Amino acid sequence: MEILLFLFAMLMILFVALPYIRRRRGGIRLVAPGSPDAADPANYGFALQEHLDIRIPGPDDDLMDALDNVQRTGQWQAASQLLAGTPREGERRWQRVQAFGGAAALELVAQPGAGARWLKAWRLKAEKDAGGAQVHAELLVQQAWRHSGGVGSDDHRIILEEAREACRKAALLSPGDPVPYITELAVARGLAYSEAEFFDLWAKVIDRAPDHMGAHLAALHYWCEKWHGSREKADAFAHAAAARAPQGSLLSALPLFALYENLPDVVLVGSFYQSAGVTRAVEGALYAVHTARPDDPMLAHVRHLLLLFLVNMERWSEAMEQVRHVDGYVGALPWSASEDPAAQYAVYRALAVAGYEANGGSPATLPH
């Protein structure tokens, strides 16, 4: 039986890799690692796999400085000051709250009962600090989803119920802030809110931040087939948001995220990535990327997902353009869904480089 399972696994790997193995001129040819003919991402100045940052999707020096400070000193003030100076309606505040909450969650996994002392001190000494309350709520959400024994377990449900209460307390400390309600969207998915309950929660989000891309991504999970919706409901939600997106908004890329969320575990149809539906979603995301502000905090999220699709579509130059902008950071879908985000990203980056070079590209022809 083990031999049969091994053979089946090898067959599936071959099937997935087959589109990248080309015998014709201009295609990708597999060679041994270290061969002079092997494409090397390092030739482009890309980061080594072991140096890829899995915590965030793109650069945020202020966040990294504050996070380094609180973890090195055990003092919470740098985090509090950063969040206090971050506009509450914007995408960056939500990302920073997620980053602090995620860092605390990882510390607690590494040092049960002893980690994240800076957050404990923050909550004890500044109980009315809205930023601290939001980070605490996010910590609980991440503990529930990543370290609680899995969906459906008693611990998962108990922690999410605690997170719901923490979200509501955080909302009272900053009434116009959408972040506590965005955090609760993950609670709603885990505790299976009814559609009426979810609509009530969603109304509170869009009243405060109607064009918030991060909020829409969090809500999209609820409407997917694998949770409490369907392919049709997820598509309808994504396309409605894209249709009303203002100029320069990344909401035009939301249908690509809906498509990703509803991908089968293994795509067995070779033409899937050449289909009209995939092409439309990718073109919409590319339009969003080209019209968005260069400093939009959600831009890296869209570029990371585009990389996966563009590689599978064998659109090598456009794939390399995404690598050029996001390389060094892998804290985003689709890589964050993997047990080893850096390794998963590195595979797609290597394929992008190989395809680019097989079609005449080189480090000299890639814009900088």
Side-chain angles (χ1 to χ4, degrees):
M1 179 62 71
E2 290 182 359
I3 294 176
L4 288 175
L5 290 173
F6 174 77
L7 290 174
F8 179 75
M10 293 303 295
L11 180 63
M12 296 305 294
I13 292 170
L14 178 62
F15 192 95
V16 172
L18 196 58
Y20 307 112
I21 304 173
R22 296 288 184 260
R23 295 185 181 275
R24 58 180 172 79
R25 187 170 180 266
I28 299 178
R29 179 167 55 87
L30 295 184
V31 297
S35 165
D37 295 327
D40 187 355
N43 292 338
Y44 294 81
F46 296 149
L48 296 174
Q49 180 177 325
E50 56 267 30
H51 295 161
L52 294 169
D53 195 324
I54 66 172
R55 298 171 295 178
I56 53 176
D60 185 343
D61 292 341
D62 290 339
L63 170 63
M64 291 296 98
D65 288 345
L67 187 55
D68 175 70
N69 183 284
V70 299
Q71 293 184 317
R72 177 171 43 81
T73 68
Q75 302 297 314
W76 51 271
Q77 285 82 359
S80 176
Q81 290 168 7
L82 180 65
L83 290 181
T86 306
R88 62 187 184 183
E89 297 86 1
E91 307 278 357
R92 197 171 296 281
R93 183 180 179 88
W94 164 234
Q95 289 192 3
R96 288 172 171 175
V97 167
Q98 283 188 302
F100 285 124
L106 289 174
E107 285 185 41
L108 285 170
V109 170
Q111 305 174 58
R117 288 182 176 174
W118 54 271
L119 180 55
K120 296 172 187 175
W122 192 356
R123 298 298 297 129
L124 285 171
K125 296 180 180 179
E127 187 178 354
K128 302 299 183 182
D129 188 316
Q134 291 172 10
V135 172
H136 178 237
E138 178 64 27
L139 162 67
L140 292 171
V141 165
Q142 295 209 25
Q143 282 184 314
W145 283 105
R146 296 175 182 273
H147 312 295
S148 66
V151 177
S153 68
D154 288 343
D155 283 349
H156 181 76
R157 178 182 54 79
I158 290 168
I159 297 173
L160 281 178
E161 288 175 349
E162 187 179 352
R164 175 168 56 187
E165 183 61 25
C167 288
R168 294 177 180 178
K169 288 180 178 178
L172 292 175
L173 293 174
S174 184
D177 195 328
V179 169
Y181 299 105
I182 299 173
T183 303
E184 192 180 344
L185 292 171
V187 177
R189 175 163 48 104
L191 294 182
Y193 282 22
S194 69
E195 289 193 6
E197 291 173 313
F198 191 85
F199 277 127
D200 286 344
L201 174 59
W202 183 239
K204 294 173 183 175
V205 174
I206 60 174
D207 281 349
R208 292 162 174 80
D211 302 320
H212 199 290
M213 180 67 172
H216 281 79
L217 290 177
L220 178 63
H221 290 296
Y222 178 89
W223 294 114
C224 287
E225 185 176 40
K226 59 189 174 185
W227 290 107
H228 309 295
S230 64
R231 291 174 183 266
E232 294 73 22
K233 288 181 177 180
D235 283 343
F237 175 79
H239 282 89
R244 70 172 193 282
Q247 180 70 20
S249 169
L250 287 168
L251 287 175
S252 298
L254 202 60
L256 186 65
F257 286 86
L259 183 62
Y260 169 77
E261 290 296 336
N262 286 308
L263 281 177
D265 291 336
V266 178
V267 177
L268 296 178
V269 180
S271 61
F272 173 81
Y273 286 101
Q274 311 304 326
S275 66
V278 171
T279 299
R280 282 194 301 270
V282 166
E283 293 300 336
L286 286 170
Y287 169 80
V289 164
H290 292 151
T291 58
R293 299 189 329 272
D295 63 345
D296 190 315
M298 293 301 294
L299 189 54
H301 286 271
V302 181
R303 289 192 183 279
H304 279 291
L305 192 61
L306 270 170
L307 174 57
L308 178 137
F309 278 90
L310 290 168
V311 165
N312 283 309
M313 297 168 80
E314 302 182 28
R315 293 169 62 167
W316 308 117
S317 293
E318 291 164 301
M320 285 292 282
E321 180 68 7
Q322 311 316 313
V323 175
R324 184 173 72 86
H325 281 92
V326 303
D327 193 67
Y329 304 89
V330 293
L333 288 174
W335 329 120
S336 58
S338 167
E339 291 185 2
D340 190 342
Q344 187 77 353
Y345 167 80
V347 167
Y348 275 83
R349 181 179 64 182
L351 288 169
V353 170
Y356 183 66
E357 293 188 354
N359 288 275
S362 71
T365 61
L366 185 68
H368 292 84

